[in-house]
Amino acid sequence: MTEEAGGRTGAVMAAIRQRLAAGRLAPGERLPSIRGFAATMGVSPSTVVEAYDRLAAEGLIRARPGSGFYVSGAVSPLALTEAEPRRERAIDPLWVSRQSLDAGPDMLKPGCGWLPAEWMPNTAIRRAVRGLAQAGEAVLTDYGATRGALSLRRHLVRRLAGEGIEAGADQLLLTASGTQAIDLIGRLLLRPGDTVIVDDPCYFNFQALLGVHAVRIVGVPYTPTGPDLQAFAAALAEHRPRLYVTNSALHNPTGATLAPQIAHRLLTLAAAHDLTIVEDDIFADLEPEPSPRLAALDGLARVIRIGSFSKTLSASIRCGYIAARPDWIEALVDLQVATSFGGPSPVAAELIAGTLADGSYRKHLEALRRRLSRARREATARLEPLGIKPWIVPRGGFTLWCRLPEEQDAAVLARAGLAEGLVLAPGNVFSVSQTASGLMRFNVAQMTDPQVYEGLTRAMARTQPAAAPPSTPSP
Amino acid sequence: MTEEAGGRTGAVMAAIRQRLAAGRLAPGERLPSIRGFAATMGVSPSTVVEAYDRLAAEGLIRARPGSGFYVSGAVSPLALTEAEPRRERAIDPLWVSRQSLDAGPDMLKPGCGWLPAEWMPNTAIRRAVRGLAQAGEAVLTDYGATRGALSLRRHLVRRLAGEGIEAGADQLLLTASGTQAIDLIGRLLLRPGDTVIVDDPCYFNFQALLGVHAVRIVGVPYTPTGPDLQAFAAALAEHRPRLYVTNSALHNPTGATLAPQIAHRLLTLAAAHDLTIVEDDIFADLEPEPSPRLAALDGLARVIRIGSFSKTLSASIRCGYIAARPDWIEALVDLQVATSFGGPSPVAAELIAGTLADGSYRKHLEALRRRLSRARREATARLEPLGIKPWIVPRGGFTLWCRLPEEQDAAVLARAGLAEGLVLAPGNVFSVSQTASGLMRFNVAQMTDPQVYEGLTRAMARTQPAAAPPSTPSP
């Protein structure tokens, strides 16, 4: 984007840079006059103006109105090299996030929680971006409405209607991200010291986020068909939680699917204990067939639906949403204005709406599901010789929650993996009870490169206890 | 953006819509086959596919793989009309925000805190958007680095260097907005019950934001050269505040400028009481000449600099930043990942960087300052006959903090203004001590339409006490 100017303008810029580097132009000194330098360089005065303007935009030189351009006095050659070292800090819920987000292009990321860029609907996004370049001035520069772009809210109303949820315009709020949606809900409904139930295991950032709210986090074991209801009921009775935060559709990290009976009984329990449920629908579009939704059964009475477009459309065009009771939305609007002065970038919401309206998005999803299905089979087959076995085979999505060979500790392996250029997601970052040290979450879409398995093999060999050398023949 | 398809595709879509509206296609019913309907409509099968895909993207119909397209069962004709009524709720710090953000195109907004869309650098933004359409896939779809786009951080490092602030790469963090920057800082440094000093008057959303943090807000009177230092010292001694949040450059709402001596003595006081200062630099680019900056004097030791691009570039492409001590930035990165899973939309940061790198941005600012200067003179002259007088004449910017005629109450006038189609900003939304009922903040850039003054005149006539009828001739 911020590309260097080419051609003649670039040549003039390069000539000035050279003089600066050689000390022939000192800080505070006046630059050659535009006419004079145009003659020197054999270009038109307007080319020199363009070059000076660009150098001024970079801060290297400064314009003094009516007096010409001067070398900036204070600019030091700040390299701004990316001085962020790989962190060796303890494996906490933020570890995988930061490792994944800040990983250089040389790292492989079988532990990260999103799809590779080339799996996303780039053609449709580019079309939407080109459309944005023609949009009205208000779209490009104004603050948006407090509830977010109408075009995208319309899409979400239709989508919810398709699930059987009749949400009105006053029940939808766009947010800067799915995470921020939960954060706002937390600010509305939680007070320090409250208790919140999460699944064990659950998406690790739920823990980091709830930690910011200074609440007590209680984990309830997650089974292949949903939360363990006996444990759930016990947690309700013992802790009187204010909130339960969970993934619908494909559960993170297990890839499990909520069974209809579990969903119904869960809502009955929630009603009996006046529990509010936040249902994060972020993986919905990766499902081959729709699975039960708490918000659909409940009708947005005590369930708050949130979601985003980061997993199937773009994580760079950030946008999330909340569907909830009108009075809660009204309060959330105030909270979002107070803390962010609005929701997502209005241009982001327009780009999302534009991409979704493109007829190709449905085909993108179909192709994506097929591709994921193949990748899942392939990863499962290639992990098998390493003794790494899926806990369940998910119906869709990209996560594979796997049991490691008995002698392996996932956290130790994740650290060894980092040295091999792999970002891994060790089980215990997902587990409130810290009972997942023998499990690891893999992302099958990030494992098409054979180097993932080679690195994993080396890391496992290094972390295996010396007592059981790999050379010992098995009986 | 989400425009309807034209031509043949549009005709096919319209034909299907008509059948749906007429009940000739019922929910759950299979749509005509692609070949069959192509023959009926006299178009190619690919046109019908495109039309069906778009209708499916809208949710009106659904594809069943291998079986064709069906009318969606659950879609009701949800109008999603903008059912947000004008609020009559008490004039609180959020009132002006929501009135301004949600005002329809028929409203005039002399009370809002930003420039009209046509005053922004739309040509440069469109160029940056076109550049984005050619960007790599990772820019379009990946999560960004935790500190935000390198291109924009580089620009900010240079900009700070130009002020004499040597900020390293580890001292900068991009955020989703300037407001969110303060929110994150509050989450890091404030605990419920802490005290925070703000200027009286101050930007009203500081109060709303600090309210979310459940802190005690103490106002210190703001003079034409900065805070009243005697009152500031007394507040420090009495309340032991944790933070002072203020605007540098052009103070909001007064348009006042901090004097160098006040800045120096303020920092000395802050050091003696271990006070941290958040300096919001949001209006910097509107200054005709740079004024003293606390961060420049202090060198980012106890001053945290924040800013955004909403006032001079775009509020739709949302992005803010924080420059602070490296250890604070490190902690803020964690907080931002936990609560938003990243900062601004990476595409937004790229668009901002692209627009700033465009040589035309400097010229845009120069033209903007001249235009504002004219608008300020004009508004001052047109408010004068109404008895509305500026408290000071600001050096730059768009705010004009004005005293109303003695018999007028600003809150009453703001309510009357709403009925006249005007969003006004009554003084007390800016005042912690509620001592600004006779003052009003005007935005000169939003007052070029004569209807503003006509509406204001009518509103003032209506709110004038009956004891002094306007028909009475003055002596």
Side-chain angles (χ1 to χ4, degrees):
Chain A
M1 282 283 315
T2 327
E3 79 269 312
E4 191 62 80
R8 288 173 191 164
T9 308
V12 176
M13 290 173 76
I16 295 295
R17 272 192 225 281
Q18 206 176 18
R19 284 167 198 225
L20 286 167
R24 284 170 59 198
L25 273 172
E29 204 175 327
R30 191 171 183 279
L31 263 75
S33 77
I34 285 162
R35 272 170 204 287
F37 205 51
T40 307
M41 296 289 295
V43 297
S44 72
S46 68
T47 302
V48 176
V49 169
E50 165 80 9
Y52 282 14
D53 272 342
R54 283 184 172 256
L55 291 168
E58 282 185 27
L60 285 176
I61 63 175
R62 254 166 218 287
R64 292 193 198 146
S67 148
F69 288 84
Y70 291 78
V71 179
S72 295
V75 175
S76 65
L78 282 160
L80 198 76
T81 49
E82 281 299 69
E84 292 158 22
R86 287 179 190 165
R87 278 168 205 85
E88 286 296 332
R89 70 177 176 181
I91 296 193
D92 67 24
L94 281 163
W95 188 86
V96 179
S97 306
R98 291 189 60 163
Q99 289 297 337
S100 302
L101 290 168
D102 289 329
D106 52 322
M107 297 289 282
L108 294 164
K109 299 186 283 189
C112 95
W114 53 89
L115 295 173
E118 67 270 21
W119 291 48
M120 301 300 247
N122 287 284
T123 308
I125 293 172
R126 282 181 211 283
R127 254 199 301 272
V129 174
R130 285 195 298 270
L132 180 66
Q134 328 250 311
E137 288 172 349
V139 171
L140 291 176
T141 61
D142 260 356
Y143 289 91
T146 55
R147 287 156 197 267
L150 185 60
S151 50
L152 187 50
R153 284 187 286 147
R154 265 199 188 123
H155 171 90
L156 289 168
V157 163
R158 284 196 299 262
R159 181 185 177 132
L160 289 167
E163 285 182 47
I165 303 169
E166 295 282 334
D170 54 350
Q171 290 188 267
L172 267 170
L173 173 65
L174 302 188
T175 62
S177 66
T179 305
Q180 203 225 354
I182 307 181
D183 188 42
L184 283 172
I185 293 163
R187 289 183 127 168
L188 179 65
L189 298 179
L190 297 177
R191 293 295 166 266
D194 279 355
T195 297
V196 176
I197 292 184
V198 296
D199 302 316
D200 192 349
C202 72
Y203 170 42
F204 49 79
N205 203 52
F206 287 166
Q207 295 173 65
L209 173 57
L210 292 168
V212 174
H213 289 269
V215 295
R216 192 160 157 227
I217 307 171
V218 172
V220 166
Y222 208 77
T223 81
T225 54
D228 175 330
L229 285 183
Q230 206 171 343
F232 203 97
L236 284 174
E238 188 181 342
H239 302 291
R240 311 203 154 276
R242 178 74 190 88
L243 221 57
Y244 168 45
V245 182
T246 188
N247 286 123
S248 56
L250 302 156
H251 179 259
N252 185 3
T254 64
T257 300
L258 190 63
Q261 305 81 34
I262 306 280
H264 168 66
R265 289 166 60 197
L266 194 59
L267 284 172
T268 308
L269 279 173
H273 290 82
D274 198 20
L275 176 74
T276 301
I277 299 177
V278 177
E279 179 179 53
D280 180 359
D281 202 41
I282 194 164
F283 298 104
D285 277 348
L286 296 175
E287 274 195 310
E289 295 293 332
S291 61
R293 290 292 193 283
L294 296 169
L297 291 177
D298 173 68
L300 297 179
R302 64 176 60 258
V303 176
I304 301 173
R305 160 68 60 82
I306 70 150
S308 92
F309 309 91
S310 305
K311 304 305 179 192
T312 47
L313 197 158
S314 167
S316 175
I317 309 169
R318 295 184 74 56
C319 183
Y321 67 87
I322 304 176
R325 279 166 38 181
D327 57 329
W328 286 350
I329 292 291
E330 178 71 14
L332 290 166
V333 168
D334 271 355
L335 270 172
Q336 188 163 245
V337 168
T339 59
S340 305
F341 212 70
S345 272
V347 295
E350 284 297 324
L351 287 175
I352 300 277
T355 308
L356 291 171
D358 192 301
S360 67
Y361 185 70
R362 184 185 60 80
K363 270 180 229 153
H364 157 70
L365 288 182
E366 281 174 13
L368 188 55
R369 289 188 207 111
R370 281 195 300 273
R371 193 172 179 184
L372 281 171
S373 188
R374 276 198 306 277
R376 193 178 313 115
R377 280 196 302 275
E378 203 177 287
T380 307
R382 291 167 98 171
L383 288 170
E384 206 270 325
L386 301 180
I388 300 175
K389 292 187 184 62
W391 181 71
I392 58 161
V393 177
R395 292 160 49 248
F398 52 74
T399 68
L400 211 50
W401 180 238
C402 293
R403 191 163 289 287
L404 300 175
E406 216 156 82
E407 66 279 10
Q408 292 282 348
D409 178 279
V412 175
L413 182 56
R415 271 193 288 266
L418 206 59
E420 300 288 344
L422 298 180
V423 175
L424 294 167
N428 272 345
V429 305
F430 303 89
S431 173
V432 172
S433 63
Q434 296 288 292
T435 51
S437 63
L439 291 139
M440 184 82 91
R441 186 193 71 180
F442 289 98
N443 177 340
V444 300
Q446 300 276 3
M447 296 170 76
T448 51
D449 186 332
Q451 289 187 55
V452 168
Y453 302 92
E454 293 159 16
L456 203 48
T457 305
R458 283 193 300 272
M460 288 174 77
R462 283 211 280 143
T463 57
Q464 232 157 7
S471 57
T472 307
S474 53
Chain B
M1 281 280 318
T2 325
E3 79 269 311
E4 191 62 80
R8 287 173 191 165
T9 308
V12 176
M13 291 172 75
I16 295 295
R17 272 192 225 282
Q18 205 176 21
R19 284 167 197 226
L20 286 167
R24 286 171 56 198
L25 273 172
E29 203 175 328
R30 192 171 182 280
L31 264 75
S33 77
I34 286 163
R35 272 169 204 286
F37 205 52
T40 307
M41 295 289 295
V43 298
S44 72
S46 67
T47 301
V48 177
V49 169
E50 165 80 8
Y52 283 13
D53 272 343
R54 282 182 173 259
L55 291 168
E58 282 184 28
L60 283 176
I61 63 175
R62 254 165 218 287
R64 292 194 199 146
S67 149
F69 287 83
Y70 292 79
V71 179
S72 295
V75 175
S76 65
L78 282 158
L80 198 75
T81 47
E82 282 298 69
E84 293 158 22
R86 287 178 190 167
R87 278 166 206 88
E88 286 296 334
R89 69 177 175 182
I91 296 195
D92 67 23
L94 281 163
W95 188 86
V96 179
S97 306
R98 290 188 62 162
Q99 289 297 338
S100 302
L101 290 167
D102 290 329
D106 52 323
M107 295 289 282
L108 293 164
K109 299 186 281 189
C112 96
W114 53 88
L115 294 174
E118 67 271 18
W119 290 48
M120 302 300 247
N122 287 285
T123 309
I125 293 172
R126 281 182 211 284
R127 253 200 302 273
V129 174
R130 286 195 297 271
L132 181 66
Q134 326 251 314
E137 288 172 348
V139 170
L140 291 176
T141 60
D142 261 356
Y143 289 92
T146 54
R147 287 157 198 267
L150 185 59
S151 51
L152 186 51
R153 284 188 286 147
R154 267 201 187 120
H155 171 90
L156 289 167
V157 163
R158 284 196 299 264
R159 182 186 175 131
L160 289 167
E163 285 183 45
I165 302 169
E166 295 282 333
D170 53 350
Q171 289 187 267
L172 268 170
L173 174 64
L174 301 189
T175 62
S177 66
T179 306
Q180 202 225 357
I182 307 182
D183 188 42
L184 283 171
I185 293 163
R187 289 182 128 169
L188 179 64
L189 298 179
L190 297 177
R191 294 295 165 267
D194 280 355
T195 297
V196 175
I197 293 183
V198 296
D199 303 316
D200 191 349
C202 72
Y203 170 42
F204 50 79
N205 203 52
F206 287 166
Q207 295 172 63
L209 173 58
L210 292 168
V212 175
H213 290 268
V215 294
R216 194 162 155 226
I217 306 171
V218 172
V220 167
Y222 207 76
T223 80
T225 54
D228 175 329
L229 285 183
Q230 207 171 343
F232 203 97
L236 283 174
E238 189 182 342
H239 302 290
R240 311 202 152 277
R242 177 76 191 87
L243 220 58
Y244 167 46
V245 183
T246 187
N247 286 124
S248 57
L250 302 157
H251 179 259
N252 184 3
T254 62
T257 300
L258 191 63
Q261 304 81 36
I262 305 279
H264 168 65
R265 288 166 61 196
L266 192 59
L267 284 172
T268 308
L269 278 173
H273 290 82
D274 199 20
L275 175 75
T276 300
I277 300 176
V278 176
E279 179 179 53
D280 180 358
D281 202 40
I282 194 165
F283 298 104
D285 278 348
L286 296 176
E287 274 195 310
E289 295 292 330
S291 61
R293 289 293 192 283
L294 296 168
L297 291 177
D298 173 67
L300 297 179
R302 65 175 60 257
V303 176
I304 301 174
R305 160 67 61 81
I306 70 150
S308 93
F309 308 91
S310 306
K311 304 306 176 190
T312 47
L313 199 156
S314 168
S316 175
I317 309 169
R318 294 185 72 58
C319 183
Y321 67 88
I322 303 176
R325 281 167 35 180
D327 57 329
W328 285 351
I329 292 291
E330 179 70 16
L332 290 166
V333 168
D334 271 354
L335 271 172
Q336 187 163 244
V337 168
T339 59
S340 305
F341 212 70
S345 272
V347 296
E350 285 297 323
L351 287 175
I352 300 277
T355 307
L356 291 172
D358 191 300
S360 67
Y361 184 69
R362 182 184 61 79
K363 270 179 229 154
H364 157 70
L365 289 182
E366 281 173 13
L368 189 54
R369 288 187 208 112
R370 281 194 300 273
R371 193 172 180 184
L372 281 171
S373 188
R374 275 197 306 276
R376 194 178 312 117
R377 277 196 304 275
E378 202 176 288
T380 307
R382 290 168 98 169
L383 288 170
E384 207 270 323
L386 301 180
I388 301 175
K389 292 188 184 64
W391 181 69
I392 57 161
V393 177
R395 293 160 49 249
F398 51 74
T399 67
L400 211 51
W401 181 239
C402 293
R403 192 163 289 288
L404 300 174
E406 216 156 82
E407 67 278 11
Q408 291 283 347
D409 178 279
V412 176
L413 182 56
R415 272 193 287 264
L418 205 59
E420 299 288 344
L422 298 180
V423 175
L424 294 168
N428 273 345
V429 304
F430 304 89
S431 173
V432 172
S433 62
Q434 296 288 294
T435 51
S437 63
L439 291 138
M440 185 83 90
R441 187 192 72 181
F442 289 99
N443 178 340
V444 299
Q446 301 275 4
M447 297 170 76
T448 51
D449 187 331
Q451 289 186 54
V452 168
Y453 302 92
E454 292 158 16
L456 203 49
T457 305
R458 282 193 301 273
M460 288 174 77
R462 281 212 282 143
T463 58
Q464 233 158 7
S471 57
T472 307
S474 54

